[in-house]
Amino acid sequence: ARTQVRTDPSETSCPGSPPSPPTVVSNLPYEDQRPRNQPNRRYAGNAVKTNKYTLWSFLPINLCEQFRRLANIYFVGIAALNFIPEVNAFQPQVALIPICVILTLTAIKDAWEDFRRYQSDRDACLSHPRSQHGFVERRWKDIQVGDFVQVLANDIIPADILLLHASDPNGVCHMETANLDGETNLKQRRVKSPFDPLSFNATVICEKPNNNLNHFKGFLEKDQIKIGFGIESLLLRGCTVRNTAAASGIVVYAGHDTKSMLNNNRPRYKRSRVESKMNKEVLCCVFLLFCMCLIGAVGHVIWLKTFSSVPIYFIPDSDGNETPSVVAGVYRFLTMIILLQVIIPISLYLSIELVKMGQVFFITQDIDLYDKEKDMRMQCRALNITEDLGQIQYVFSDKTGTLTENKMVFRRCTIMGTEYPHTENGESGKWVGQLWSHQDTTVGRDNILPCLPLRCGMHITVYHGATHLEFFLALAICNTVVVSTETAQRQRVRDPVQSTLYDIPTSSSSVVSEDEVQGTPCKGHTRRRQTWTASSLAGPKEVHYEAQSPDEAALVHAAKAYGFTLLERTPSHVSVRLPSGTTLTYEVLDVLTFDSVRSRMSIIVRHPHTKEIILYTKGADSGIMERLSQMKSESRVIANKTQKHLDMYANDGLRTLCFTRKVQEFNYYDWLVLRQGAMAAIDRKDELVRKTAADMETNLTLLGATGIEDRLQENVPETIQALREAGIQVCVLTGDKLETAVNIAYSCKLLDHKLVGKPVCKPVCVSQEVCKNMLSGTLAQLPLYDTQEAKVSVGLVIDGRTLGLLLDSDLQEGFVQLCTHCRAILCCRTTPLQKSRVVTLLRSKLGVMTLAIGDGANDVNMIQAADVGVGISGQEGMQAVMASDFAISRFKHLKKLLLVHGHWCYNRLANMIIYFFYKNVAYVNLLFWYQFFCGFSGTAMIDYWFMIFFNLFFTSAPPIMFGIMDREVSAAVLLQLPELYRRGQHEGGYRRSTFWIAIADAFYQSLVCFFVPYWTYKGSDIDIFTLGTPMNTASLFTIIFHLAIEIKSWTVVHWVIMVGSVVVYFVVTLAFCAMCVSCNPPSDPYWTMQEQMSDPMFYLVCILTTVVALLPRYTLHALRGTLVPSDHLRARQIDNMPPHHRDLWLQEWKKLKDLCASYPSLSSSTAQRYSTAQSPSLTLVQDPSPALAQSPSLTPVQDPSPSLVQSLNPKLAPNQGLNSAAL
Amino acid sequence: MKAGPSRTNRPDNTAFTQQRLPAWQPILSAGIVIPGFTLIGLAFIGVGVALFVTSQKITDLEVRGKRDTHAVLFFFQGPVFFYYGLTSYYQNFRTYGVSKDGYQLSGDTYYFNVRAWYSCAPYQYDSNNNPIVPCGSIANSMFSDTFQLYQVVNGMKKQVPLDGKGIAWWTDYNIKYSNPALVNGSFANAFSGTVKPVNWSKPVYELDPTDQANNGFLNQNFLVWMRQAALPKFQKLYGRIAEGDYAQGLPAGNYTLLINYSYPVISFGGTKKVVLSNVSWMGGKNQFLGIAYLVIGSLCIVMAMVMLIIYAKYKFTDDDEDM
């Protein structure tokens, strides 16, 4: 019955508020005491409650939350006004309906979401750890900080537990963090200092709870001795124990303090640009409403003044007095607000949410964005910025894993100044033969690496000495790759369909048997971690590598290919089998883990035979070369040669790593004391740890270097090309070397060869002063290139150190200016922080819409800094995805995501919002015009129920459908013509002018809808609601047909909803008019619709009204379609053509664009300019008829360069031929 | 999502989810709208002509506010409708419009004195706190002039019968309004305890003592009045001339209109009038609609021609439609 143990009594006196840092002691001694004596009582319990409401508190809390929204207060205020008899416009009870509907709908939504959270909490807390060896079973929620908990294999860890004991003799516990960060590789955790729970009497001091999954620090204090520990000893809540029979430890964080809960953020709320712009338009509507109400109030006062005595129809108030006219004016002002409230489109917000839900649905449903290999769809993690995808101007991309596969392939290595290629190809048999036969030709750069395995191990010693051995040993040892041989617990069941589709990669998976190692040495490094299989048939000899980074996996596999098989790694030792077959087991003294500041990692081992303490270091050349021992000239020569090779690798686009070795002679133990002190520190721990590591990594001896290839993902150049045509500036920010990055940039067409000979600016400078001069010099040069050819033809390549200087405040302006002039920007050797600073800087200074895309933890900052963050779920875990707004699996998906979905979403939403504003104004103005004929008294000639229905049923579905499904240009054409995207960047879909045109149109249409019936029935015996009926109907038709003009493509859904809305209108209106005899006193619409529909005049009025109301818009569209057709219109025309014509036209379009692009006079603006009738050159090209093309009337008049057109003409000839052939 | 062993995340490849539903993509341009404009123009001109001609056939005669009027009429095709009209009379004034009690008017005596509709105030109770039936301002301000029309035949006045029945909406008469049940066989007793509206000269149960079917709340002149006019200048049907000698219309001749003038219009600066009119399928005389149709129709034709010119000039942009 023990989950606990005893403790130091002195700790019991620890009272009061939670100290910082948190101190945890064992709970065991206090088991029988009352809760308030528990030392750990002030920490959060393990019960997790993410739901906000209980059954009882739901109503009050939810209402409170809802009333925090301004819109709801507005609604309630309006409804409350209705209860003032002097002011009310409608029956008060009925006026409450809209607000009640909205509150109820929102409450239902909130309740449902909360219920989901409640369910997931309950599910999580129901499971409990099993009991064994004196541990009792407890429910999750009963676990407290200070408890000892034991978890067994495949258990889910209930809280953050400091690992104190593991069943593994080496004190290692493996866990899978897939629930937490989506990474499926096993994480190793180890016992820092083993304790038996029953005799645990130490105090645990750790940092405050935080959400960093990869960082934790604290120490155990026992008898004045501090033992530091980090994340490597912490079992995280929500992870699963694997490959370890049992592990136990003390709970340090529970419940909401656990790292997993602190990471458990809700979907982020970002405000999209369109929405914030829309809010200004809402303010315009408020202003409009105010003006209209003011007109009403003033009009009423003036109207009252016209009477010399009290008219018979004028009602005095209840005590018989007349209200003073000014007071009456104030009352009418309020009445008008109630009457015209709909002009402020509160329901627009709800509609936008619905539209975005629909848009997200369609984006995630896109099969082109589905990744078969990972069985992953596109994910939308932020639900409300879909339309921002249509306005992107800058894309910031990571390189590794984003542009490239991040599947590392060992390509070349240089050992002691000799360079060896390592070719991997399909003909492995031949390759092996070559390998064996070429062992003697060892001179020059084209050496084949001599065969090292088993049978020729002696040759190595003879020809190359021990350095080669050391190099491969370093390859095998100096990493954090974990070997796992136990497979049963690790087995993954895979989808059969998927595995057949993905057979090829798996065949070269990490499961490499002994025989394979000898026979086909090179297999195994292209494996993908996500698809590991562990066959249950596998024998004990099978090794299985789990690497944190693909580079390390590639290196270990490469080492294995040459016979240096990493057999086992535990915290205390590492075993390697040498080609000779002997197994060396090194004692591991310490691992200096990788960090991006040092950009290297080291391992300190003790040689089993010589007992030497050896330090193996690997890292980027920048982090290594300066730390080499400079004593011998021989080693300097080697270093120079190696550097030359490294440059060559980088030029080939390979990723390079240097390997060094050092034998530590004497002062190791002095250093160890410092190191342990650093590890136990809480303050400045990172800094101290880094410093001690750097102290150790000096006087290194270079062994060699490796070149690892990282293949480009498919279609990356095409995607970048398309994005660029779409007017998007692509910047690549990478941590890689300059040469590697430039090489990749060329191969992915970021820098293209048109720029060769052009200045690819490479400001590499050391001081700010130099940097400043260089910047101003470069800026001064820029105009030269501008005038010579098309404006943006300069590529900017910049390295991290320079970037750091440029990001300083006084150089920022210049840097931004430089960026705007460059067609391509490539930043190398950047840190994560610099990446995000570049994004933030350009975003804020230029006010552009930015998108950041990346796959790794180092891109998280950048992804969060950008307007839109896109994560690639690649080889490096899920951290980028977790931080992103949208998650895709390949870089090429970005093209369709932006050019098609972004474009669509933006246009749809913009059109929908504009339409929504229009609709409300058009409808409400009917009521406003009527005020001029009822003494501004606030009478509505349309029954209030009909007004509610009008917004709720009759005209709500079409705009939502319009916002989700309208399609101006098809996906195929959008992908073919990326420049169509430019309209969204310049907010072409949603301009202030568009808004005001829509409002003006709404005013016109409402005037027509009011005055045509008015003049028809003027002077007749028509009653109020009978006059309102044709107005209402004509208004409905106008609003529906207005949308019909705007809809660009009609699918069956469009027809159903549009026709359905009209049908619903007539059915509901007729039914209501027939049923409601006096259900809504004093208004009586009873039988008015029937009365009107039996009168032919009604139809004549409605037809005339609708036609007159829509005539201007229709005509305008027709004229615009003919006189000034936009690119989009032309694209739509192309869309409507039969496929083979379409291709021809698309080709012509592109050809023309290229031509124009090479002439600044034509390319200075977007395609808009040359596609209009003013530009004769395009007119020619676009015209398929040869007769017209040859027509002399089209000779340019205003074109400044006649030669241009002449040069165009010969090019046209073949096109004409094609066209006539097509005809 | 499909369940089963081969469950994948793969989205359904349907035309709907992939947004590939077959779609009709109309492109508005000059060439396309020409037939539309032409058709609409021709149709509108046709309708306009028909409306205009019909409207021209309708005769109406307005007689403005004099006490007794003599007029020489030409032949009126029957049936002839007799209207009274008011100007600057805001029956649509909001507080006026709500000043009635629908439950009371549907004959529910519970609403006579127990529970009066608050919006009837201040015409809810008289100074002695007796409930007013029918309450409210609309009823109180009921038009009270009466008219008699005589044809002068050989110096003799011959009354033209003004039929005051069938002038209200059928639904008002039959469904919406009804009288309270008789109490002790007496209609007047049903209204006991209530008083007549302030401005009325007689209680509601004596509106038409000659015809019980036209009395009380079902008096058709009352019903017509209670249906509030939409606009401040309106006319209301007073009676139809469709009986006896006048069933075919009013023959040409001399007529005298006797007006029992009691309704004040000076207070609101309005005027009264009497209108005699015959009607067609399109209701009373209305020039506007016919003219509007003609104008819009012509405009459409003009637009069609403009479009044609534009089309001819910029033909090339539409050529792809022909392909």
Side-chain angles (χ1 to χ4, degrees), chain A residues 640-672:
Chain A
N640 286 341
K641 276 186 175 174
T642 307
Q643 186 64 56
K644 217 183 286 168
H645 293 145
L646 285 174
D647 294 345
M648 186 182 82
Y649 291 170
N651 280 328
D652 290 348
L654 300 181
R655 296 159 70 86
T656 55
L657 279 175
C658 297
F659 285 82
T660 65
R661 174 179 187 268
K662 173 171 94 159
V663 178
Q664 187 72 22
E665 280 105 18
F666 38 91
N667 53 2
Y668 173 71
Y669 290 98
D670 300 344
W671 175 83
L672 192 62

XYZ file of all heavy atoms in Angstrom, chain A residues 640-672:
289
model
N 43.730 22.676 -43.663
C 43.524 23.444 -44.894
C 42.897 22.596 -45.978
O 41.962 23.020 -46.655
C 44.860 24.009 -45.391
C 45.305 25.158 -44.530
O 44.488 25.737 -43.821
N 46.581 25.458 -44.562
N 43.420 21.386 -46.106
C 42.862 20.490 -47.125
C 41.388 20.207 -46.830
O 40.544 20.254 -47.707
C 43.641 19.169 -47.129
C 44.910 19.194 -47.948
C 45.476 17.781 -47.980
C 46.677 17.701 -48.883
N 47.298 16.369 -48.806
N 41.179 19.923 -45.560
C 39.799 19.601 -45.177
C 38.886 20.783 -45.464
O 37.781 20.622 -45.977
C 39.741 19.255 -43.681
O 40.702 18.242 -43.434
C 38.362 18.756 -43.289
N 39.386 21.955 -45.152
C 38.566 23.140 -45.406
C 38.244 23.265 -46.888
O 37.128 23.600 -47.272
C 39.318 24.384 -44.911
C 38.498 25.660 -45.002
C 37.270 25.613 -44.095
O 37.378 25.408 -42.894
N 36.099 25.771 -44.689
N 39.238 22.938 -47.705
C 39.018 22.996 -49.148
C 37.916 22.011 -49.551
O 37.013 22.322 -50.314
C 40.321 22.658 -49.872
C 40.538 23.465 -51.135
C 41.796 23.026 -51.838
C 43.067 23.500 -51.154
N 44.286 22.838 -51.671
N 38.041 20.828 -48.970
C 37.013 19.828 -49.274
C 35.642 20.261 -48.778
O 34.638 20.056 -49.444
C 37.390 18.480 -48.640
C 38.607 17.877 -49.253
N 39.532 17.153 -48.519
C 39.092 17.895 -50.515
C 40.502 16.765 -49.300
N 40.265 17.199 -50.530
N 35.674 20.881 -47.620
C 34.384 21.335 -47.068
C 33.747 22.358 -47.990
O 32.536 22.322 -48.243
C 34.599 21.957 -45.680
C 34.854 20.976 -44.545
C 35.188 21.727 -43.267
C 33.634 20.103 -44.328
N 34.567 23.253 -48.502
C 34.027 24.251 -49.420
C 33.463 23.579 -50.655
O 32.412 23.962 -51.168
C 35.110 25.252 -49.819
C 35.543 26.087 -48.621
O 34.808 26.071 -47.610
O 36.607 26.718 -48.694
N 34.172 22.563 -51.089
C 33.701 21.839 -52.268
C 32.353 21.177 -51.971
O 31.420 21.248 -52.765
C 34.740 20.788 -52.622
C 34.477 20.054 -53.892
S 35.762 18.818 -54.096
C 35.145 17.524 -53.072
N 32.261 20.569 -50.795
C 30.997 19.930 -50.410
C 29.875 20.955 -50.402
O 28.778 20.728 -50.904
C 31.092 19.326 -49.003
C 31.996 18.121 -48.877
C 32.324 17.622 -47.629
C 32.501 17.475 -50.005
C 33.150 16.513 -47.487
C 33.315 16.380 -49.872
C 33.650 15.907 -48.613
O 34.450 14.826 -48.475
N 30.204 22.068 -49.790
C 29.168 23.093 -49.667
C 28.727 23.563 -51.040
O 27.540 23.793 -51.279
C 29.687 24.265 -48.845
N 29.687 23.657 -51.949
C 29.318 24.062 -53.301
C 28.430 23.038 -53.979
O 27.637 23.376 -54.843
C 30.565 24.303 -54.140
C 31.154 25.653 -53.835
O 30.423 26.580 -53.509
N 32.463 25.756 -53.911
N 28.602 21.797 -53.578
C 27.728 20.767 -54.124
C 26.406 20.698 -53.377
O 25.573 19.834 -53.646
C 28.408 19.391 -54.039
C 29.573 19.301 -55.008
O 29.665 20.202 -55.857
O 30.373 18.351 -54.909
N 26.239 21.577 -52.418
C 24.989 21.578 -51.667
C 24.943 20.527 -50.582
O 23.861 20.142 -50.136
N 26.097 20.044 -50.158
C 26.098 19.040 -49.097
C 26.170 19.720 -47.737
O 26.722 20.809 -47.605
C 27.299 18.095 -49.259
C 27.394 17.311 -50.554
C 28.618 16.405 -50.536
C 26.144 16.477 -50.777
N 25.621 19.060 -46.778
C 25.728 19.552 -45.397
C 27.010 18.976 -44.816
O 27.285 17.791 -44.953
C 24.550 19.067 -44.563
C 23.239 19.600 -45.021
C 22.127 18.722 -44.513
N 21.944 18.816 -43.067
C 21.191 19.739 -42.481
N 20.597 20.633 -43.212
N 21.043 19.756 -41.192
N 27.754 19.812 -44.153
C 29.064 19.343 -43.712
C 29.133 19.265 -42.197
O 28.509 20.042 -41.483
C 30.157 20.303 -44.187
O 29.826 21.606 -43.721
C 30.259 20.319 -45.683
N 29.892 18.311 -41.742
C 30.180 18.188 -40.317
C 31.648 17.817 -40.176
O 32.158 17.003 -40.943
C 29.326 17.084 -39.694
C 27.885 17.440 -39.337
C 27.170 16.197 -38.860
C 27.836 18.518 -38.273
N 32.320 18.415 -39.197
C 33.714 18.065 -38.942
C 33.777 17.168 -37.717
O 32.966 17.290 -36.796
C 34.531 19.320 -38.660
S 34.582 20.417 -40.048
N 34.753 16.285 -37.736
C 34.933 15.392 -36.590
C 36.323 15.600 -36.024
O 37.298 15.676 -36.768
C 34.745 13.936 -37.011
C 33.311 13.608 -37.221
C 32.677 13.920 -38.416
C 32.575 13.012 -36.218
C 31.349 13.643 -38.600
C 31.240 12.730 -36.401
C 30.625 13.039 -37.589
N 36.394 15.683 -34.718
C 37.699 15.850 -34.085
C 37.818 14.892 -32.918
O 36.834 14.299 -32.468
C 37.883 17.274 -33.551
O 36.925 17.466 -32.517
C 37.686 18.322 -34.616
N 39.021 14.804 -32.475
C 39.307 13.911 -31.356
C 40.306 14.633 -30.471
O 41.107 15.431 -30.942
C 39.906 12.630 -31.911
C 40.403 11.642 -30.911
C 40.925 10.439 -31.679
N 41.270 9.365 -30.785
C 42.475 9.186 -30.271
N 43.439 10.030 -30.553
N 42.702 8.157 -29.473
N 40.251 14.331 -29.222
C 41.250 14.899 -28.325
C 41.435 13.935 -27.167
O 40.452 13.405 -26.637
C 40.775 16.257 -27.796
C 41.668 16.834 -26.724
C 41.302 18.257 -26.383
C 40.374 18.317 -25.209
N 40.385 19.629 -24.556
N 42.650 13.706 -26.826
C 42.902 12.892 -25.644
C 43.117 13.841 -24.482
O 43.980 14.716 -24.515
C 44.130 11.998 -25.857
C 44.398 11.195 -24.589
C 43.925 11.066 -27.031
N 42.283 13.647 -23.504
C 42.343 14.541 -22.352
C 43.343 13.969 -21.369
O 43.204 12.834 -20.921
C 40.954 14.637 -21.715
C 40.834 15.649 -20.628
C 40.855 17.062 -21.195
O 40.558 17.246 -22.370
N 41.228 18.025 -20.385
N 44.353 14.745 -21.055
C 45.391 14.121 -20.246
C 45.139 14.253 -18.745
O 44.912 13.290 -18.053
C 46.775 14.693 -20.592
C 47.371 14.093 -21.840
C 47.305 15.044 -23.012
O 47.115 16.239 -22.754
O 47.406 14.594 -24.166
N 45.127 15.474 -18.280
C 45.199 15.543 -16.807
C 43.978 16.179 -16.150
O 43.339 15.591 -15.321
C 46.472 16.285 -16.363
C 46.808 17.456 -17.251
C 46.322 18.708 -16.967
C 47.591 17.265 -18.404
C 46.629 19.766 -17.790
C 47.899 18.327 -19.205
C 47.412 19.589 -18.913
N 43.582 17.361 -16.578
C 42.684 18.139 -15.725
C 41.196 17.781 -15.887
O 40.341 18.585 -15.635
C 42.880 19.622 -15.998
C 42.752 19.913 -17.478
O 42.477 18.992 -18.262
N 42.963 21.160 -17.841
N 40.922 16.574 -16.311
C 39.524 16.228 -16.547
C 38.681 16.362 -15.280
O 37.582 16.895 -15.308
C 39.415 14.806 -17.106
C 37.988 14.349 -17.206
C 37.143 14.894 -18.171
C 37.462 13.428 -16.309
C 35.826 14.509 -18.247
C 36.137 13.033 -16.386
C 35.322 13.581 -17.359
O 34.018 13.212 -17.427
N 39.232 15.909 -14.156
C 38.395 15.882 -12.958
C 38.154 17.266 -12.394
O 37.112 17.533 -11.791
C 38.978 14.924 -11.919
C 38.830 13.491 -12.405
C 39.876 12.826 -13.021
C 37.590 12.845 -12.305
C 39.713 11.547 -13.519
C 37.427 11.574 -12.798
C 38.486 10.918 -13.400
O 38.289 9.665 -13.899
N 39.102 18.164 -12.612
C 38.843 19.546 -12.225
C 37.647 20.086 -12.989
O 36.754 20.739 -12.462
C 40.056 20.436 -12.548
C 41.276 19.948 -11.798
O 41.078 19.167 -10.840
O 42.391 20.334 -12.190
N 37.716 19.756 -14.276
C 36.640 20.244 -15.129
C 35.311 19.660 -14.687
O 34.280 20.320 -14.681
C 36.967 19.855 -16.579
C 35.877 20.212 -17.528
C 35.664 21.423 -18.099
C 34.840 19.367 -17.994
N 34.571 21.391 -18.902
C 34.041 20.125 -18.857
C 34.530 18.023 -17.766
C 32.932 19.591 -19.497
C 33.412 17.497 -18.408
C 32.635 18.277 -19.258
N 35.354 18.377 -14.306
C 34.114 17.685 -13.943
C 33.403 18.379 -12.776
O 32.177 18.483 -12.758
C 34.432 16.230 -13.589
C 33.227 15.302 -13.460
C 32.487 15.220 -14.785
C 33.652 13.936 -12.976
